[in-house]
Amino acid sequence: MTPRANALPTDAGELYYSYARPADGALPSLSRQKGLLGIITFQTGFVGEGDGAKPEGILQIPLSGRGDDLCELWKTTQPVLAGTFGDITYRCSRDFLFGSIALAVADLPAGNHGLIHPPLQNAAELAYQQIFSLLDRHGYPGLLRIWNFVPDINGVSHGLEHYRQFNIGRQDAFLAHNRLPSRQNIPAASALGSVDGPLVVYFLAARRNSVAVENPRQISAYHYPQEYGPSSPTFSRAGWVDLGQQKILFISGTASIIGHQTRHGGNVAAQARESMANIAAVVAETNRVAAGSPYDLNDLSYKVYLRQFTDLPIVRAELDRLVTPKAPIFYLQADICRADLLVEIEATAGVLHGGMA
Ligand code: 3EB
């Protein structure tokens, strides 16, 4: 598979991404911008509107609220249409589809044989089934990037950790939609814990798939051994896509894992350094497999998830030594999918910055 085979027409609409703290009351007008694909906030109590109503087009992720109170915004240069499909809300341009789904997590019976599936397994399978059906129906098969927020991710019910339940349902949906035979169909992803509430997933898709990139320092997550759960996590370490004018790299949530094992338990500074070493390895691997100008750690924008937000000064000091002060870094508080991980870092390159105006 050559990266070139994934090139889109050179007039593909450009993709913009930014983080900002909108002025009080500005969110509703932001949500009416031309070309808006999506706005995400990471606060539990929704602020910005007097009557408490949530402006249309804004996805609220129920985190603890201890992180930066920034919004994340995605937009494109082409006209956008809004729609719904099952439980999914989406906006799409000719080239991109940005969607989100929030599913209540309930003890429902599922499966064809009267089996009771654990609730996060159910919710994950339903969410991913709907996402794949939408992408197939509307012809955006390339799932470029996906973010998963699992309520109480390290909690246990039905004898199984919620993240492990989630992994079973997610993998089953990939299999049901025939997306697992090819490793190129596995998206870059992040998986974090939210405070109690629905399973929330948001994603960016395109007409063509990205090229999946793995990390030579880590076993591919889809090959993790059973000690991390009955079904392995279905995500790639990164995805690279040539959109003509833009060559975009989405680096998955990256943690202090070597091989398949957590390193530096209890030491958040060392975990941050190891996570950055893993990101550097993914960047080097992308530069090896992808044609074109090489990516550099200083050209990425970052999102950092801290299990304990009080670790912020320590982690910030580590990152400030490793990347230029100009690199945008967005810090959030969230639980991480393994109980011994204290930090997860994701990164993006090649997306134009701006559009929050
Ligand atoms: C890891 O490397 C850390 O399950 O979608 C990072 C990014 C992690 C995505 C996912 C999990 C996921 O295993 C955890």
Side-chain angles (χ1 to χ4, degrees), residues 148 163 167 170 189-191 218 224 233 235 237 252-255 257 337-338 341 344:
N148 304 287
Y163 177 60
N167 278 324
R170 171 169 59 174
S190 298
Q218 297 183 313
Y224 281 169
F235 70 97
R237 299 301 179 184
S252 289
T254 302
I257 294 173
C337 60
R338 288 187 191 178
L341 290 174
E344 179 173 312

Short mmCIF file of all heavy atoms in Angstrom, two decimals, residues 148 163 167 170 189-191 218 224 233 235 237 252-255 257 337-338 341 344, ligand 1:
data_model
loop_
_atom_site.label_atom_id
_atom_site.label_comp_id
_atom_site.label_asym_id
_atom_site.label_seq_id
_atom_site.Cartn_x
_atom_site.Cartn_y
_atom_site.Cartn_z
N ASN A 148 -12.89 8.52 22.12
CA ASN A 148 -13.84 7.73 22.91
C ASN A 148 -13.81 8.19 24.36
O ASN A 148 -12.73 8.25 24.96
CB ASN A 148 -13.43 6.25 22.89
CG ASN A 148 -13.31 5.71 21.47
OD1 ASN A 148 -14.31 5.49 20.81
ND2 ASN A 148 -12.07 5.50 21.02
N TYR A 163 -13.44 -0.28 30.48
CA TYR A 163 -12.64 -0.17 29.25
C TYR A 163 -12.55 -1.51 28.52
O TYR A 163 -12.59 -1.57 27.29
CB TYR A 163 -11.23 0.35 29.59
CG TYR A 163 -10.31 0.44 28.39
CD1 TYR A 163 -10.63 1.25 27.29
CD2 TYR A 163 -9.12 -0.28 28.36
CE1 TYR A 163 -9.78 1.32 26.19
CE2 TYR A 163 -8.26 -0.19 27.27
CZ TYR A 163 -8.60 0.61 26.18
OH TYR A 163 -7.76 0.69 25.10
N ASN A 167 -13.85 -2.46 24.79
CA ASN A 167 -13.02 -3.06 23.74
C ASN A 167 -13.69 -4.25 23.05
O ASN A 167 -13.49 -4.47 21.85
CB ASN A 167 -11.67 -3.50 24.32
CG ASN A 167 -10.71 -2.33 24.40
OD1 ASN A 167 -10.71 -1.46 23.53
ND2 ASN A 167 -9.91 -2.29 25.46
N ARG A 170 -16.43 -2.68 20.72
CA ARG A 170 -15.80 -1.97 19.60
C ARG A 170 -15.26 -2.96 18.58
O ARG A 170 -15.52 -2.83 17.38
CB ARG A 170 -14.67 -1.07 20.13
CG ARG A 170 -13.83 -0.46 19.00
CD ARG A 170 -12.89 0.63 19.49
NE ARG A 170 -11.93 0.22 20.49
CZ ARG A 170 -10.95 1.01 20.95
NH1 ARG A 170 -10.83 2.25 20.50
NH2 ARG A 170 -10.11 0.58 21.87
N ALA A 189 -6.93 6.87 17.43
CA ALA A 189 -7.97 7.05 18.45
C ALA A 189 -7.39 7.55 19.76
O ALA A 189 -6.17 7.50 19.98
CB ALA A 189 -8.70 5.73 18.70
N SER A 190 -8.29 8.01 20.61
CA SER A 190 -7.98 8.24 22.01
C SER A 190 -9.10 7.62 22.81
O SER A 190 -10.24 7.57 22.34
CB SER A 190 -7.90 9.73 22.34
OG SER A 190 -6.86 10.33 21.60
N ALA A 191 -8.78 7.12 24.01
CA ALA A 191 -9.82 6.58 24.89
C ALA A 191 -9.57 7.09 26.30
O ALA A 191 -8.49 6.87 26.86
CB ALA A 191 -9.82 5.06 24.86
N GLN A 218 6.33 -0.17 20.33
CA GLN A 218 5.15 -0.75 20.98
C GLN A 218 4.56 -1.87 20.12
O GLN A 218 4.57 -1.79 18.89
CB GLN A 218 4.07 0.32 21.16
CG GLN A 218 4.47 1.48 22.05
CD GLN A 218 3.32 2.46 22.24
OE1 GLN A 218 2.66 2.86 21.28
NE2 GLN A 218 3.08 2.85 23.49
N TYR A 224 -2.35 -6.65 21.49
CA TYR A 224 -2.10 -6.77 22.93
C TYR A 224 -2.52 -8.16 23.39
O TYR A 224 -3.56 -8.67 22.95
CB TYR A 224 -2.92 -5.74 23.72
CG TYR A 224 -2.39 -4.32 23.76
CD1 TYR A 224 -3.21 -3.30 24.27
CD2 TYR A 224 -1.11 -3.97 23.35
CE1 TYR A 224 -2.76 -1.98 24.35
CE2 TYR A 224 -0.66 -2.66 23.42
CZ TYR A 224 -1.49 -1.67 23.92
OH TYR A 224 -1.06 -0.37 24.00
N PRO A 233 -7.72 -3.73 21.99
CA PRO A 233 -8.24 -2.42 21.57
C PRO A 233 -8.04 -2.23 20.06
O PRO A 233 -6.97 -2.55 19.53
CB PRO A 233 -7.37 -1.42 22.34
CG PRO A 233 -6.62 -2.21 23.37
CD PRO A 233 -6.51 -3.60 22.83
N PHE A 235 -7.38 0.18 17.53
CA PHE A 235 -6.93 1.49 17.05
C PHE A 235 -5.51 1.37 16.54
O PHE A 235 -4.80 0.42 16.88
CB PHE A 235 -7.05 2.58 18.13
CG PHE A 235 -6.07 2.45 19.28
CD1 PHE A 235 -4.88 3.18 19.31
CD2 PHE A 235 -6.33 1.59 20.34
CE1 PHE A 235 -3.98 3.08 20.37
CE2 PHE A 235 -5.43 1.47 21.40
CZ PHE A 235 -4.26 2.21 21.42
N ARG A 237 -1.67 3.42 15.92
CA ARG A 237 -0.89 4.43 16.65
C ARG A 237 -1.00 5.80 16.00
O ARG A 237 -0.84 6.83 16.67
CB ARG A 237 0.57 4.00 16.74
CG ARG A 237 0.78 2.70 17.49
CD ARG A 237 0.26 2.76 18.91
NE ARG A 237 0.43 1.49 19.62
CZ ARG A 237 -0.01 1.26 20.84
NH1 ARG A 237 -0.70 2.20 21.49
NH2 ARG A 237 0.19 0.10 21.43
N SER A 252 -2.49 9.02 17.74
CA SER A 252 -3.43 8.54 18.76
C SER A 252 -2.98 8.95 20.16
O SER A 252 -1.82 9.32 20.37
CB SER A 252 -3.50 7.02 18.71
OG SER A 252 -4.17 6.59 17.55
N GLY A 253 -3.88 8.84 21.08
CA GLY A 253 -3.51 8.97 22.48
C GLY A 253 -2.33 8.04 22.74
O GLY A 253 -2.36 6.88 22.36
N THR A 254 -1.28 8.59 23.35
CA THR A 254 -0.02 7.87 23.50
C THR A 254 0.39 7.91 24.96
O THR A 254 0.35 8.96 25.60
CB THR A 254 1.06 8.55 22.62
OG1 THR A 254 0.59 8.55 21.26
CG2 THR A 254 2.38 7.82 22.69
N ALA A 255 0.77 6.75 25.48
CA ALA A 255 1.05 6.66 26.91
C ALA A 255 2.41 6.02 27.13
O ALA A 255 3.15 5.72 26.20
CB ALA A 255 -0.05 5.85 27.59
N ILE A 257 3.92 3.27 27.50
CA ILE A 257 3.85 1.83 27.26
C ILE A 257 4.99 1.46 26.32
O ILE A 257 5.19 2.10 25.29
CB ILE A 257 2.49 1.44 26.65
CG1 ILE A 257 1.36 1.70 27.66
CG2 ILE A 257 2.49 -0.03 26.21
CD1 ILE A 257 -0.05 1.52 27.10
N CYS A 337 -7.09 4.84 30.29
CA CYS A 337 -7.72 3.51 30.18
C CYS A 337 -7.05 2.42 31.02
O CYS A 337 -7.67 1.41 31.29
CB CYS A 337 -7.81 3.10 28.72
SG CYS A 337 -6.20 3.02 27.96
N ARG A 338 -5.79 2.58 31.41
CA ARG A 338 -5.20 1.62 32.34
C ARG A 338 -5.03 2.32 33.68
O ARG A 338 -4.51 3.45 33.71
CB ARG A 338 -3.82 1.15 31.88
CG ARG A 338 -3.82 0.24 30.69
CD ARG A 338 -2.40 -0.27 30.47
NE ARG A 338 -2.31 -0.95 29.18
CZ ARG A 338 -1.20 -1.48 28.69
NH1 ARG A 338 -0.07 -1.40 29.40
NH2 ARG A 338 -1.19 -2.07 27.53
N LEU A 341 -1.77 4.17 34.38
CA LEU A 341 -1.32 5.28 33.52
C LEU A 341 -1.79 6.60 34.11
O LEU A 341 -2.96 6.76 34.49
CB LEU A 341 -1.87 5.11 32.11
CG LEU A 341 -1.26 3.96 31.29
CD1 LEU A 341 -2.00 3.81 29.95
CD2 LEU A 341 0.23 4.17 31.05
N GLU A 344 -1.84 10.69 29.19
CA GLU A 344 -1.96 10.26 27.79
C GLU A 344 -1.87 11.52 26.93
O GLU A 344 -2.48 12.54 27.25
CB GLU A 344 -3.30 9.53 27.58
CG GLU A 344 -3.54 9.05 26.15
CD GLU A 344 -4.81 8.18 26.00
OE1 GLU A 344 -5.00 7.25 26.81
OE2 GLU A 344 -5.61 8.46 25.08
C1 3EB B 1 -2.42 2.45 24.87
O1 3EB B 1 -1.49 2.73 24.12
C2 3EB B 1 -2.91 3.54 25.75
O2 3EB B 1 -8.50 2.18 23.19
O3 3EB B 1 -8.81 3.68 21.63
C3 3EB B 1 -4.53 5.13 23.72
C4 3EB B 1 -5.23 5.53 22.57
C5 3EB B 1 -5.03 4.11 24.50
C6 3EB B 1 -6.41 4.90 22.20
C7 3EB B 1 -8.17 3.20 22.58
C8 3EB B 1 -6.22 3.50 24.12
C9 3EB B 1 -6.91 3.88 22.98
O4 3EB B 1 -2.90 1.30 24.96
C10 3EB B 1 -4.36 3.69 25.75
#
